[in-house]
Amino acid sequence: MPQFLTSSDADFESRFAALLTMKREDSVDVDDAVAAIIADVRARGDAAVIDLTARFDRLELTPDRLAVSEAEVDAAVAQVPAAERAALEQAAERIRAYHERQLPEDASWTDAAGATLGWRWGPVDAAGLYVPGGLASYPSSVLMNAVPARVAGVTRLVMCVPSPDGVLNPLVLLAARLSGVSEIYRIGGAQAVAAMAYGTETIAPVDKITGPGNAFVAAAKRRVFGRVGIDMIAGPSEILVIADGQNDPDWIAVDLLSQAEHDASAQSILITDDAGFGARVAEAVTTRLETLARRDIAGASWRDFGAVVTVRDLDEAAALANRIAPEHLELAVADPDALAAKITHAGAIFLGQWTPEAIGDYVGGPNHVLPTARSARFSSGLSVLDFLKRTTMARMTPEALKAVGPAAVTLAGSESLEAHGISVQARLDRLNQG
Amino acid sequence: MPQFLTSSDADFESRFAALLTMKREDSVDVDDAVAAIIADVRARGDAAVIDLTARFDRLELTPDRLAVSEAEVDAAVAQVPAAERAALEQAAERIRAYHERQLPEDASWTDAAGATLGWRWGPVDAAGLYVPGGLASYPSSVLMNAVPARVAGVTRLVMCVPSPDGVLNPLVLLAARLSGVSEIYRIGGAQAVAAMAYGTETIAPVDKITGPGNAFVAAAKRRVFGRVGIDMIAGPSEILVIADGQNDPDWIAVDLLSQAEHDASAQSILITDDAGFGARVAEAVTTRLETLARRDIAGASWRDFGAVVTVRDLDEAAALANRIAPEHLELAVADPDALAAKITHAGAIFLGQWTPEAIGDYVGGPNHVLPTARSARFSSGLSVLDFLKRTTMARMTPEALKAVGPAAVTLAGSESLEAHGISVQARLDRLNQG
């Protein structure tokens, strides 16, 4: 059974605090193993990647077989049924349209001192996208990572996807083609991350690595951070639904299960101002679990980490939501905009009863790569900005230097950075002579 | 002597590549020590911080003495000479004006399918600013970290600055006051980072930690990344100057030295299309080094890591600059805007001979916290965006769900995520019944 909490209960604060800090993942310590893998790839390049792929994916490769060829992609893509192709195309198009709005503007202005200031944005040269193999090899993930990179203007877009026993997912390859991936390698794990970060004879290094992965991939991303940019270290998925009593309990139950079915470590929480409704949703979850294909996973998640929280009113719901800082937040209430205005921390908000979270996983338009584990307190979902960087610009005229230079000389003196001061003073002296 | 390279020489490519990959820092492995410090602070809170401060800073504290009091700040600030106060105020005001322009806009629109989409930006609740003690305790750093946080709307702004043997820098405290820092703690090192990330009895946890520090601070930031946001792991400073022959060699020499004096591991590179000018700059560096207060540091940096590169023309200079992806780039050429248009990777660009890099360290307006070690390939200097996060928004109408829902159901099926599909299909079924 999930937990049932009621905000008016005496033990509520301690139980809610425990819910917030609940440990949902066994952090396997793979850091030493990953350090060794990265060192091996740096030292031996392709040969190391090939050895590690034989060991972990039971796949014998040669350097010329690391890349998935165009012909292989053609053959795989040809197998995709028309309905699935159309759905992927619609998703790609909607994701592209949303992310095109994120492109930031350059700026340049001249201030009162006569200084011309501003900034310019530009894309990274090359991005690497990690896609897990096996069960969690999702074509939607390819779109969500690759489309923003292409919208940002990234020209070289590398994808690494392991193919355990040689199996690749045709829909993943189609998603890669639809979103403009330029190179695909059939490798995975820490060795793929190392190859993208440091390069091998066959794989040129990239500047930024994004995409989800297992503990090895996460540890490798953490280690190569600094050498390349990374997106985030994603934890198990979460959903918080705030619903009033005017909802179909079955819809809300399925929405909760749509996160629970991802992973036994996922977490689904309902907050409602109607205790009876909360009980009906819990019953509906139990009923749905009887027939759900992934009932073992979803059932374990709901049992171990699920919660139904009854609150006095929606203001209280908003305050609790901000403490949770959920990855996904559904607002199934009469006035979702009013409630959304009270939310300060959430990765993505889904407004109203016609917006189940699953829409956002595929075809809504916004990105589904979102901050987990309360990190929406300080971070955002993946966006075009992750593939851009900003260069600041400053140009002084002699007049501007006269206006601001003396303060720089003073502060350089305070910080005992003499050459800093001289570099400004030498120019001021010339101006004062003139 | 610095290195002299000429792009037309046969060995240029190999020498330039070696310059790019030159190792400038001994990476001291403090990771195990830092892990132990963080675990200690998590377990024992204030008591651990106090013990570690006694050990590393030779300072005996009590819980009520962790914070620097308002009265202490008042007393310190009163010692600051008027000229330094005015300079700091001018700097703070210019930095504030620049960063206010960075505030991003929210967006909301309704698309052809009838879906209302968009995003909202909001500040983190609390930010923590690390300021090194001792020699590198720079008031300008306080401004560059704290002002963007305040402009972003961060209300709780915590500063940690170690005070070895009890000594605090009055200008650092004044800078904190001018930029709206709300709490100051006299602690440093990995223990300060741990206290800000996890909280202690006295110090409430923050959501984001920024600011420079030594190897312990850097390792601690890397470890707490995910629990809180961090800015970047900064390496030693660098400058690249591209200058034609129409410059005063002494000005360019001092500009190069203004980075070299930061740190023996700093790197200063001149690229010029005039070999004779390059030689005159090198001579001027030698002359200036004779009298510079920090000649040991600057001299070591210039000797070990400095370089003068002669190129055929400025196009070649731009191509090399993009491979270097410098933290600071000065364009001391006749048409700096034309050359800047060819630069794709740089943290900050300083245009024309009246814009020495030191202006940007203090009073230019743009941030001086910039990507080092070639990370301008994929990252940006500190900005208001570092203290904001974005929540994406989506709202479907029944009509919008009819338009995009079927594709979501199809893709959920492809990914074997049954509950995802049901959550959409259940709503579509209701619409189709009606």
Side-chain angles (χ1 to χ4, degrees):
Chain A
M1 285 295 285
Q3 297 189 51
F4 288 85
L5 285 74
T6 301
S7 67
S8 55
D9 283 356
D11 64 349
F12 175 75
E13 180 52 38
S14 65
R15 289 188 63 199
F16 185 77
L19 187 69
L20 273 188
T21 53
M22 202 165 205
K23 192 169 160 58
R24 289 190 280 136
E25 273 189 305
D26 284 332
S27 49
V28 199
D29 191 358
V30 297
D31 209 43
D32 289 344
V34 164
I37 290 171
I38 294 174
D40 193 18
V41 172
R42 290 185 68 175
R44 297 197 299 129
D46 284 347
V49 171
I50 287 169
D51 287 352
L52 291 158
T53 302
R55 185 166 129 210
F56 291 113
D57 297 339
R58 301 164 303 280
L59 182 68
E60 298 294 338
L61 292 175
T62 49
D64 62 314
R65 287 267 303 151
L66 286 172
V68 178
S69 70
E70 285 295 307
E72 286 176 279
V73 179
D74 289 341
V77 159
Q79 300 170 29
V80 175
E84 287 181 293
R85 169 184 273 275
L88 261 189
E89 286 173 346
Q90 187 181 9
E93 187 43 45
R94 289 188 60 83
I95 296 163
R96 185 173 296 118
Y98 182 92
H99 287 78
E100 279 172 353
R101 299 232 181 194
Q102 291 180 330
L103 280 165
E105 307 235 331
D106 296 346
S108 180
W109 66 92
T110 300
D111 69 14
T116 300
L117 304 173
W119 61 78
R120 261 186 1 202
W121 292 91
V124 302
D125 285 339
L129 160 56
Y130 188 86
V131 179
L135 198 61
S137 187
Y138 295 140
S140 58
S141 263
V142 177
L143 298 182
M144 291 292 182
N145 282 271
V147 169
R150 292 290 289 175
V151 169
V154 177
T155 48
R156 181 169 170 256
L157 191 44
V158 174
M159 180 170 111
C160 285
V161 53
S163 66
D165 302 312
V167 180
L168 282 169
N169 180 340
L171 271 171
V172 163
L173 298 181
L174 175 57
R177 179 159 284 180
L178 289 177
S179 49
V181 169
S182 44
E183 298 164 30
I184 305 174
Y185 299 99
R186 64 184 102 235
I187 59 174
Q191 59 273 23
V193 174
M196 290 195 282
Y198 290 98
T200 69
E201 301 89 324
T202 301
I203 304 171
V206 305
D207 304 299
K208 176 102 186 189
I209 297 176
T210 69
N214 63 16
F216 282 80
V217 171
K221 282 169 68 180
R222 192 181 281 268
R223 278 203 167 255
V224 301
F225 169 55
R227 166 79 188 195
V228 297
I230 64 170
D231 51 344
M232 61 180 79
I233 308 293
S237 195
E238 316 140 15
I239 189 170
L240 170 61
V241 180
I242 300 180
D244 59 27
Q246 306 304 306
N247 281 278
D248 185 327
D250 179 59
W251 292 8
I252 302 301
V254 184
D255 294 352
L256 294 168
L257 288 171
S258 74
Q259 291 308 303
E261 74 176 344
H262 269 297
D263 189 338
S265 304
Q267 184 167 47
S268 303
I269 300 177
L270 169 65
I271 301 184
T272 180
D273 57 356
D274 181 332
F277 176 77
R280 288 192 293 281
V281 170
E283 281 164 32
V285 169
T286 303
T287 304
R288 282 285 183 186
L289 273 173
E290 287 167 13
T291 56
L292 202 68
R294 295 168 74 112
R295 59 183 168 270
D296 290 347
I297 294 170
S301 159
W302 181 242
R303 178 191 70 220
D304 295 340
F305 306 115
V308 176
V309 181
T310 303
V311 292
R312 295 176 188 87
D313 55 39
L314 294 181
D315 278 354
E316 200 171 48
L320 296 179
N322 288 331
R323 289 176 65 188
I324 295 172
E327 182 190 11
H328 304 101
L329 175 60
E330 260 186 46
L331 302 180
V333 296
D335 188 350
D337 289 318
L339 185 53
K342 294 172 184 154
I343 302 298
T344 52
H345 306 309
I349 300 182
F350 303 88
L351 297 133
Q353 61 174 340
W354 299 104
T355 318
E357 183 280 327
I359 284 293
D361 284 334
Y362 297 114
V363 293
N367 211 286
H368 80 193
V369 180
L370 292 164
T372 58
R374 305 189 60 226
S375 63
R377 292 177 294 120
F378 56 81
S379 66
S380 311
L382 198 69
S383 80
V384 166
L385 292 179
D386 288 289
F387 300 97
L388 295 169
K389 64 269 183 334
R390 195 184 47 247
T391 299
T392 61
M393 318 283 286
R395 181 172 192 166
M396 298 289 141
T397 57
E399 294 65 38
L401 195 69
K402 279 187 187 174
V404 307
V409 174
T410 299
L411 292 173
S414 306
E415 296 186 354
S416 302
L417 293 172
E418 186 189 8
H420 284 63
I422 296 172
S423 75
V424 176
Q425 191 61 54
R427 288 163 167 98
L428 290 175
D429 288 346
R430 179 79 49 89
L431 292 173
N432 293 332
Q433 285 163 19
Chain B
M1 285 294 284
Q3 296 190 51
F4 288 85
L5 286 74
T6 302
S7 68
S8 55
D9 283 356
D11 64 349
F12 175 74
E13 180 52 37
S14 65
R15 290 187 64 199
F16 185 77
L19 188 69
L20 273 188
T21 54
M22 203 167 205
K23 193 169 161 54
R24 289 188 282 137
E25 273 189 307
D26 285 332
S27 49
V28 199
D29 191 359
V30 297
D31 208 44
D32 289 344
V34 164
I37 290 171
I38 294 173
D40 192 19
V41 172
R42 291 185 68 175
R44 297 197 299 127
D46 284 348
V49 171
I50 288 169
D51 287 353
L52 291 158
T53 302
R55 186 167 130 209
F56 290 114
D57 298 339
R58 301 163 303 279
L59 183 68
E60 298 294 337
L61 292 175
T62 50
D64 63 313
R65 286 268 303 151
L66 285 171
V68 178
S69 69
E70 285 295 307
E72 286 177 278
V73 179
D74 289 342
V77 159
Q79 301 169 29
V80 175
E84 288 182 293
R85 170 184 270 276
L88 260 190
E89 286 173 346
Q90 186 180 11
E93 187 43 44
R94 290 188 58 84
I95 296 163
R96 186 174 295 115
Y98 182 93
H99 287 79
E100 280 173 352
R101 299 231 181 194
Q102 290 180 328
L103 280 166
E105 308 235 329
D106 296 346
S108 180
W109 66 93
T110 301
D111 69 13
T116 300
L117 304 173
W119 62 78
R120 261 186 1 204
W121 291 93
V124 301
D125 285 339
L129 160 56
Y130 188 86
V131 179
L135 196 61
S137 188
Y138 295 140
S140 58
S141 261
V142 177
L143 299 182
M144 291 291 181
N145 281 271
V147 169
R150 291 290 289 175
V151 169
V154 177
T155 48
R156 180 169 171 255
L157 191 45
V158 174
M159 181 170 110
C160 285
V161 53
S163 66
D165 301 311
V167 179
L168 282 170
N169 179 339
L171 271 171
V172 163
L173 298 180
L174 174 58
R177 180 159 282 181
L178 290 177
S179 48
V181 169
S182 43
E183 300 164 29
I184 304 174
Y185 300 99
R186 64 184 105 233
I187 60 174
Q191 57 274 22
V193 175
M196 290 194 281
Y198 291 98
T200 70
E201 301 88 326
T202 302
I203 305 172
V206 304
D207 303 298
K208 177 102 186 188
I209 299 177
T210 68
N214 63 16
F216 282 81
V217 171
K221 282 170 68 181
R222 192 182 280 267
R223 279 204 166 252
V224 301
F225 169 55
R227 167 79 189 196
V228 297
I230 64 170
D231 53 342
M232 62 180 78
I233 309 293
S237 195
E238 317 139 13
I239 189 170
L240 170 61
V241 180
I242 300 180
D244 59 26
Q246 306 304 307
N247 281 278
D248 185 328
D250 179 60
W251 291 8
I252 303 300
V254 184
D255 295 352
L256 294 167
L257 287 171
S258 74
Q259 290 309 303
E261 75 175 344
H262 269 298
D263 189 336
S265 303
Q267 183 166 47
S268 304
I269 300 177
L270 169 66
I271 300 184
T272 179
D273 58 356
D274 181 332
F277 176 76
R280 288 193 293 280
V281 171
E283 282 164 30
V285 169
T286 303
T287 304
R288 282 286 183 184
L289 273 172
E290 286 166 13
T291 56
L292 201 68
R294 294 167 73 110
R295 58 183 168 271
D296 290 347
I297 294 169
S301 160
W302 180 242
R303 178 192 68 220
D304 296 339
F305 305 116
V308 176
V309 181
T310 304
V311 291
R312 296 176 188 88
D313 55 40
L314 294 181
D315 278 353
E316 201 171 46
L320 295 179
N322 288 331
R323 290 176 64 188
I324 295 172
E327 181 189 14
H328 304 100
L329 175 60
E330 260 186 46
L331 302 181
V333 296
D335 188 350
D337 289 318
L339 185 54
K342 294 172 185 153
I343 301 298
T344 51
H345 306 309
I349 300 181
F350 304 88
L351 297 134
Q353 62 174 339
W354 299 104
T355 319
E357 184 280 326
I359 285 293
D361 284 334
Y362 298 114
V363 293
N367 212 286
H368 81 194
V369 180
L370 292 165
T372 58
R374 305 190 59 225
S375 62
R377 290 176 296 121
F378 56 82
S379 65
S380 310
L382 198 69
S383 80
V384 165
L385 293 179
D386 289 289
F387 300 98
L388 295 170
K389 66 267 182 334
R390 195 183 48 245
T391 299
T392 62
M393 318 284 285
R395 180 172 193 167
M396 297 290 139
T397 57
E399 294 64 40
L401 195 69
K402 279 187 188 173
V404 307
V409 174
T410 298
L411 292 172
S414 306
E415 296 186 353
S416 301
L417 293 172
E418 186 189 7
H420 283 64
I422 296 173
S423 75
V424 177
Q425 191 61 54
R427 288 163 167 98
L428 290 175
D429 289 346
R430 179 81 48 89
L431 292 173
N432 293 331
Q433 285 164 21

